[in-house]
């Protein structure tokens, strides 16, 4: 489903991703772990097509399409979702309006009709409920004044509503209390299907005990230096990154 | 003056002895090009105005001749040739239609293209049970469709074109006309007095809450036609009225002058809410063409505890010069100004408000949101003035500017003149650039570049938009998006 070959990404003059290879098949869940500053978020942003992140060489293929030829919103239309490490506040825009615009943009890209207001409300309420989100939060401005954990939960509601083929979740587990972590993990597991894939970026084994990955990668200094099964995460938790590097 | 001799000849041909009394048999739909006393006589005759009105116009014209065109700090434009414009244009039909069936289908089609809300289109089409928005459509100088007049009449509300009001309620018009914006107030106001061709008159009697929103759509459509609307709204004691004004103009190549005058008068405990969505042709991407909007809008809160709120969404015009203001003369009166001004490409907007606190315990609120894109210049210019006798005045001003491009400019020019020490004046101002993080977040949720900008900008304007009547707010939101098309990248 996702096939990244020899990817190099620069931000400004600085090269951050330095020849990265990654293949994720439908039905799989992968996890990327690695030191702060290794380039995990940069990789995620490059896959999503952030403007100021320049892909200097290499390729990203998603669902058989050349992602680098697509605009960021077209990538979303193709079924990509990025859960942000630091979700962004948009003052004056209600969560509901944001979600509805997002959903309808994606539907439009796919040549589908807009969802009616009633249908949309039903869908959102259902997803918010499954993720234990207070429906009142849907009326608030996007992420404005949300606590760290609330922001992450909001990302998950967005994912559930957009129902992507590939969800890249950048530290969605950080900042969550234990109950919230379980709810979020359930949300991720619901999204795991034969026709979908998940890429988790995390620092903690704890999430991976709820959402068991098929493959764990270790990223250091812009490259994947080691890959293994879920036991690799346990090993890292015990010994740290020193041995791997 | 060039063109005057020719103008005279043309008028003489069509009107005969126009100078003496009313001319009823005028086939000509347009006054000749140019401006002269004869053209003013032509307009007055065409409008079947009483003699006092013609005299009033001529006096204003003579005053205008002695005035100088103002010269502004933040807007620049080619010199306007006042002799190279038409001052009167009317639709082809001789009489206004008696019912909506008589409305030109082309006109209705134009309304549809302009995106006039279905609700109002239904009203225009006379659909049974359609919502009660009274539409007094000013189409090319003459009102061609007026609805709901009967129901308004039952409530005692007078809502008609100003030309009709001059004929039907001359005493009322005489009593209030130019009492808020004097004839010599400014160059364009004087010009308007001389040549105004249409506009709206509203009177809401004592204690009456106007049963519907009053709505007027302006549209400039004849080539080379200067538009000079005149609006006069009087809210008598304890009454309430909400008035919506919106407009668009089609593509055109030549700059057009628009110099309207709007006067609002609120007596004791009366409230007037005046909302504008302005979308005149701003010129093309290179800044060619577009409309010059030099409008004078002023409200007089004459009575105690009266209230006026101006809400405006300004997206159009090549050059905008506009300061809807409130004179707070009644004790405890309240003035509000909520504004969104979007400029794109080469547009120039210099807009803001004046709050003149003349009486004790008067309050005012100013919320201004300026959005600059392309190579445009967007200036907020505001005055808060407190006279010495005005005790316990309060004002709150908030001016936020959002830059969508790096080549655009945002300027905030607040003037504060306080002559009474008990006044509490607060002023806040911010300028920010549209954030990369917000853009990427929106785009990573499937929004195209322009959609993302529209969404962020709409959020930025929320505090103002929420003061617009519901249906208008939806329109205005779409308009913000449309206005910013092509502003990124
Ligand atoms: N816009 C930028 N300008 C300059 N440097 C940047 C920029 N964005 C990222 N970097 C740098 O790139 C490196 C990788 O950052 P990135 O956020 O991808 O790391 P990460 O692996 O996600 O780290 P963490 O685990 O802390 O989230 C860091 O050194 C960071 O400072
Ligand atoms: Mg990161």
């Amino acid at each position: 489903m996702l096939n990244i070959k020899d990817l190099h990404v620069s931000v400004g003059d600085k090269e951050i991703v330095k020849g990265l290879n990654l293949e994720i098949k439908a039905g799989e869940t992968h996890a990327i772990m690695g030191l702060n500053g290794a380039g995990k978020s940069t990789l995620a942003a490059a896959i999503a097509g952030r403007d100021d992140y320049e892909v200097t060489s290499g390729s990203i293929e998603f669902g058989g399409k050349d992602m680098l030829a697509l605009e960021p919103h077209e990538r979303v239309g193709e079924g990509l979702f990025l859960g942000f490490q630091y979700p962004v506040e948009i003052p004056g825009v209600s969560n509901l309006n944001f979600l509805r615009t997002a959903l309808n943009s994606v539907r439009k890209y796919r040549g589908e009709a807009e969802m009616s207001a009633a249908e949309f409300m039903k869908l959102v309420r259902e997803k918010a409920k499954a993720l234990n989100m207070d429906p009142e939060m849907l009326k608030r401005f996007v992420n404005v004044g949300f606590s760290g954990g609330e922001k992450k939960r909001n990302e998950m509601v967005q994912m559930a509503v957009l129902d992507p083929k590939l969800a890249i979740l950048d530290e969605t587990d950080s900042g969550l209390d234990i109950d919230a972590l379980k709810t979020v993990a359930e949300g991720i597991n619901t999204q795991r299907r034969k026709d979908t894939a998940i890429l988790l970026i995390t620092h903690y084994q704890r999430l991976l005990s709820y959402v068991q990955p098929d493959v764990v990668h270790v990223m250091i200094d812009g490259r994947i230096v080691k890959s293994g099964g879920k036991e690799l995460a346990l090993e890292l938790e015990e010994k740290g990154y020193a041995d791997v590097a | 003056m060039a063109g005057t001799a020719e103008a005279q000849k043309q008028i003489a041909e069509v009107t005969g002895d126009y100078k003496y009394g009313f001319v009823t048999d005028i086939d000509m739909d347009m006054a000749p090009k140019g401006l002269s006393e004869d053209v003013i006589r032509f307009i007055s005759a065409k409008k079947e105005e009483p003699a006092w009105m013609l005299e009033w116009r001529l006096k204003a014209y003579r005053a205008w001749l002695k005035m100088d065109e103002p010269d502004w700090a933040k807007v620049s434009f080619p010199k306007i040739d006042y002799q190279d414009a038409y001052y009167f244009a009317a639709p082809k039909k001789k009489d206004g239609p008696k019912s909506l069936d008589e409305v030109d289908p082309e006109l209705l089609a134009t309304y549809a293209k302009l995106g006039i809300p279905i609700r109002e289109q239904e009203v225009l089409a006379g659909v049974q049970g359609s919502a009660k928005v009274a539409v007094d459509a000013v189409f090319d100088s003459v009102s061609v469709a007026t609805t709901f007049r009967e129901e308004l009449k039952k409530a005692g509300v007078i809502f008609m074109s100003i030309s009709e009001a001059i004929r039907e309620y001359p005493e009322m018009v005489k009593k209030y006309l130019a009492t808020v914006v004097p004839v010599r107030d400014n160059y364009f106001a004087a010009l308007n007095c001389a040549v105004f061709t249409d506009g709206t008159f509203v009177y809401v009697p004592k204690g009456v809450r106007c049963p519907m929103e009053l709505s007027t759509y302006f549209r400039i459509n004849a080539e080379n036609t200067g538009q000079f609307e005149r609006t006069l709204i009087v809210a008598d004691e304890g009454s309430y009225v909400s008035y919506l004004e919106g407009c668009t103009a089609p593509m055109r190549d030549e700059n057009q002058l628009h110099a309207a005058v709007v006067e609002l008068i609120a007596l004791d405990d009366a409230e007037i809410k005046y909302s504008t969505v302005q979308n005149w042709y701003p010129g093309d991407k290179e800044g060619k063409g577009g409309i010059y909007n030099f409008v004078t809008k002023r409200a007089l809160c004459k009575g105690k505890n009266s209230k006026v709120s101006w809400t405006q969404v300004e997206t159009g015009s090549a050059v905008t010069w506009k300061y809807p203001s409130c004179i707070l003369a009644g004790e405890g009166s309240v003035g509000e100004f909520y504004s969104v001004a979007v400029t794109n490409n080469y547009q120039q907007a210099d807009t803001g408000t004046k709050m003149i606190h003349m009486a004790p315990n008067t309050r005012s609120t100013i919320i201004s949101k300026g959005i600059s894109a392309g190579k445009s210049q967007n200036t907020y210019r505001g005055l808060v003035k407190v006279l010495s006798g005005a005790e316990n005045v309060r004002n709150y001003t908030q001016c936020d500017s959002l830059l969508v491009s790096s080549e655009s400019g945002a300027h905030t020019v607040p003037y504060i003149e306080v002559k009474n020490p008990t006044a509490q004046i607060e002023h806040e101002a911010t300028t920010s650039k549209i954030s990369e993080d917000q853009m990427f977040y929106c785009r990573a949720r499937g929004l195209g570049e322009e959609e993302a900008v529209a969404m962020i900008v709409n959020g930025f304007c929320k505090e103002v938009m929420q003061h617009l009547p519901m249906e208008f707010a939806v329109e205005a939101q779409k308009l913000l998006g449309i206005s910013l098309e092509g502003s990124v990248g």
Side-chain angles (χ1 to χ4, degrees):
Chain A
M1 173 175 294
L2 179 73
N3 203 344
I4 300 177
K5 285 196 182 123
D6 192 30
L7 186 72
H8 292 256
V9 181
S10 292
V11 181
D13 292 338
K14 196 175 157 202
E15 187 172 68
I16 292 163
V17 176
K18 304 170 179 173
L20 182 136
N21 295 288
L22 177 66
E23 192 184 352
I24 302 177
K25 296 201 171 73
E28 291 181 348
T29 296
H30 289 224
I32 294 185
M33 304 183 81
L35 293 171
N36 294 132
K40 303 181 295 294
S41 295
T42 305
L43 170 67
I47 298 173
R50 187 170 172 140
D51 263 352
D52 38 353
Y53 287 43
E54 197 194 346
V55 174
T56 50
S57 66
S59 64
I60 306 176
E61 215 184 80
F62 174 59
K65 286 206 170 136
D66 174 12
M67 289 293 262
L68 297 177
L70 298 179
E71 291 278 308
H73 66 280
E74 294 171 331
R75 303 183 193 195
V76 180
E78 293 294 332
L80 178 72
F81 178 85
L82 171 58
F84 280 58
Q85 181 175 0
Y86 304 109
V88 179
E89 299 183 1
I90 309 179
V93 176
S94 79
N95 238 341
L96 272 178
N97 183 16
F98 185 68
L99 266 174
R100 181 149 187 233
T101 309
L103 183 65
N104 282 328
S105 303
V106 167
R107 289 174 73 100
K108 192 172 160 199
Y109 178 81
R110 293 177 187 157
E112 296 163 10
E114 281 203 357
M115 193 179 261
S116 75
E119 235 183 310
F120 170 76
M121 284 310 297
K122 193 167 161 265
L123 175 75
V124 174
R125 287 219 184 87
E126 180 191 306
K127 301 298 183 191
K129 194 169 171 224
L131 285 152
N132 261 331
M133 182 197 254
D134 179 355
E136 281 304 303
M137 301 206 57
L138 292 169
K139 294 182 199 153
R140 284 171 56 180
F141 297 152
V142 179
N143 294 322
V144 176
F146 285 26
S147 74
E150 285 167 346
K151 284 182 182 170
K152 295 302 175 67
R153 207 188 294 240
N154 201 27
E155 294 292 286
M156 297 303 298
V157 172
Q158 292 175 8
M159 178 190 76
V161 168
L162 294 176
D163 187 21
K165 289 192 189 116
L166 171 66
I168 302 174
L169 303 175
D170 192 354
E171 298 200 24
T172 301
D173 54 333
S174 299
L176 292 178
D177 64 49
I178 295 162
D179 291 1
L181 182 69
K182 277 190 200 161
T183 319
V184 163
E186 273 167 35
I188 300 173
N189 283 329
T190 311
Q191 191 59 32
R192 283 175 84 168
R193 297 192 304 254
K194 270 208 292 281
D195 61 331
T196 63
I198 312 274
L199 176 59
L200 302 169
I201 296 172
T202 182
H203 289 295
Y204 307 107
Q205 155 61 26
R206 211 175 44 197
L207 173 70
L208 302 182
S209 62
Y210 294 117
V211 185
Q212 303 225 336
D214 302 297
V215 186
V216 174
H217 307 277
V218 180
M219 183 164 175
I220 288 174
D221 193 25
R223 286 184 199 93
I224 286 175
V225 295
K226 190 171 181 176
S227 302
K230 59 176 182 271
E231 64 290 344
L232 180 57
L234 285 166
E235 200 180 304
L236 288 169
E237 181 127 297
E238 242 169 71
K239 298 185 189 156
Y241 293 98
D243 288 353
V244 201
Chain B
M1 258 189 273
T4 307
E6 194 201 356
Q8 250 166 350
K9 208 174 111 218
Q10 285 186 35
I11 293 171
E13 275 167 14
V14 287
T15 62
D17 56 346
Y18 56 91
K19 276 179 195 159
Y20 310 106
F22 302 133
V23 179
T24 48
D25 190 51
I26 305 169
D27 280 337
M28 197 180 154
D29 286 326
M30 280 189 154
K33 232 183 201 179
L35 184 52
S36 65
E37 294 207 359
D38 290 332
V39 167
I40 291 164
R41 288 197 171 91
F42 176 91
I43 292 169
S44 191
K46 190 86 184 169
K47 293 283 176 189
E48 296 168 46
E49 286 176 356
W52 64 266
M53 196 65 226
L54 173 61
E55 276 315 308
W56 191 84
R57 285 176 181 275
L58 290 172
K59 238 191 250 169
Y61 174 66
R62 288 163 200 152
W64 176 76
L65 285 175
K66 294 199 193 89
M67 294 168 84
D68 289 321
E69 197 175 309
D71 158 27
W72 300 288
K74 281 291 169 202
V75 297
S76 61
F77 50 89
K79 191 118 190 76
I80 298 165
D81 180 357
Y82 294 94
Q83 295 305 336
D84 190 33
Y86 289 94
Y87 291 86
F88 186 86
K92 287 283 171 277
K93 276 187 188 172
K94 278 188 188 170
D95 299 310
K98 306 265 178 312
S99 78
L100 286 165
D101 296 342
E102 291 176 38
V103 172
D104 184 355
E106 292 228 353
L107 174 57
L108 292 173
T110 308
Y111 281 137
K113 258 188 244 154
L114 291 175
I116 291 174
I118 294 297
R119 200 175 84 160
E120 267 121 286
Q121 280 189 36
E122 282 174 350
V123 173
L124 264 179
V127 172
Q128 288 285 318
S130 58
K132 293 175 180 174
V133 173
V135 179
D136 172 21
V138 175
F139 189 79
D140 229 29
S141 307
V142 174
S143 298
V144 291
T146 303
T147 41
F148 285 112
R149 189 178 290 182
E150 286 313 304
E151 189 160 339
L152 288 169
K153 214 172 181 179
K154 251 186 259 161
V157 175
I158 302 168
F159 176 45
M160 55 175 55
S161 79
I162 193 122
S163 311
E164 285 172 284
I166 288 165
R167 292 193 297 267
E168 292 182 32
Y169 299 94
E171 290 316 309
M172 196 133 30
V173 174
K174 243 188 203 169
K175 183 172 172 190
Y176 292 108
L177 192 70
T179 58
V180 186
V181 179
V183 173
R184 286 178 179 77
D185 186 81
N186 66 70
Y187 189 77
F188 293 111
L191 179 60
N192 177 287
C193 291
V195 300
F196 75 84
T197 45
D198 221 321
T200 308
F201 176 74
V202 178
Y203 171 77
V204 191
K206 272 185 194 170
V208 169
R209 202 182 158 82
C210 185
M212 64 197 74
E213 314 250 13
L214 302 179
S215 167
T216 300
Y217 280 90
F218 291 94
R219 189 184 163 211
I220 300 172
N221 111 317
E223 196 70 34
N224 242 337
T225 309
Q227 293 277 310
F228 302 93
E229 270 91 12
R230 184 100 203 173
T231 302
L232 177 58
I233 300 178
V234 181
D236 213 327
E237 290 171 24
S239 68
Y240 169 84
V241 63
S242 166
Y243 186 87
L244 322 179
E245 167 203 36
C247 57
T248 62
M251 280 292 256
R252 64 178 57 253
D253 219 11
E254 270 170 85
N255 291 317
Q256 272 200 312
L257 175 63
H258 187 96
V261 171
V262 176
E263 295 178 283
L264 312 183
I265 295 155
L267 302 183
D268 286 1
D269 303 301
E271 181 177 349
I272 302 173
K273 205 172 145 52
Y274 193 104
S275 313
T276 307
V277 171
Q278 190 268 113
N279 180 31
W280 283 323
Y281 182 52
D284 65 15
K285 282 202 166 56
E286 275 70 52
K288 193 164 186 266
I291 286 175
Y292 295 170
N293 186 21
F294 302 136
V295 48
T296 306
K297 289 184 166 179
R298 196 174 301 155
L300 176 62
C301 286
K302 194 171 185 179
K304 61 174 172 32
N305 302 323
S306 55
K307 179 177 175 183
V308 166
S309 64
W310 298 103
T311 305
Q312 61 172 25
V313 175
E314 299 283 317
T315 67
S317 300
V319 180
T320 300
W321 177 82
K322 176 178 179 186
Y323 314 93
S325 303
C326 296
I327 298 168
L328 302 168
E331 180 161 358
S333 58
V334 176
E336 294 174 337
F337 175 73
Y338 303 105
S339 169
V340 168
V342 183
T343 52
N344 196 0
N345 300 319
Y346 285 89
Q347 277 176 279
Q348 305 171 64
D350 197 313
T351 181
T353 186
K354 292 176 195 164
M355 293 290 176
I356 314 294
H357 294 262
M358 294 175 62
N361 303 312
T362 48
R363 282 175 291 140
S364 60
T365 303
I366 299 169
I367 311 267
S368 161
K369 304 276 183 177
I371 297 114
S372 334
K375 295 181 165 64
S376 67
Q377 295 296 327
N378 202 326
T379 303
Y380 168 82
R381 193 183 297 277
L383 169 68
V384 177
K385 188 169 182 169
V386 181
L387 301 192
S388 61
E391 299 284 319
N392 302 316
V393 162
R394 278 190 289 154
N395 162 265
Y396 174 73
T397 302
Q398 186 190 326
C399 293
D400 298 317
S401 305
L402 186 68
L403 299 172
V404 177
S405 74
S406 47
E407 288 171 287
S408 59
H411 317 272
T412 302
V413 191
Y415 301 92
I416 299 170
E417 286 176 38
V418 179
K419 301 241 168 67
N420 184 307
T422 60
Q424 287 179 43
I425 312 287
E426 272 180 87
H427 180 92
E428 286 175 28
T430 65
T431 300
S432 50
K433 267 214 76 172
I434 206 158
S435 104
E436 295 273 342
D437 284 340
Q438 285 179 336
M439 280 301 288
F440 178 53
Y441 192 63
C442 290
R443 303 212 61 201
R445 294 296 172 262
L447 277 64
E449 197 162 33
E450 283 171 353
E451 269 183 298
V453 170
M455 171 146 272
I456 294 164
V457 166
N458 268 304
F460 173 77
C461 299
K462 181 81 178 182
E463 282 162 282
V464 170
M465 302 296 247
Q466 68 195 10
H467 289 282
L468 285 175
M470 191 59 172
E471 276 78 1
F472 230 37
V474 174
E475 287 296 297
Q477 255 178 37
K478 277 191 224 141
L479 192 57
L480 283 190
I482 294 168
S483 313
L484 288 165
E485 271 171 16
S487 66
V488 281

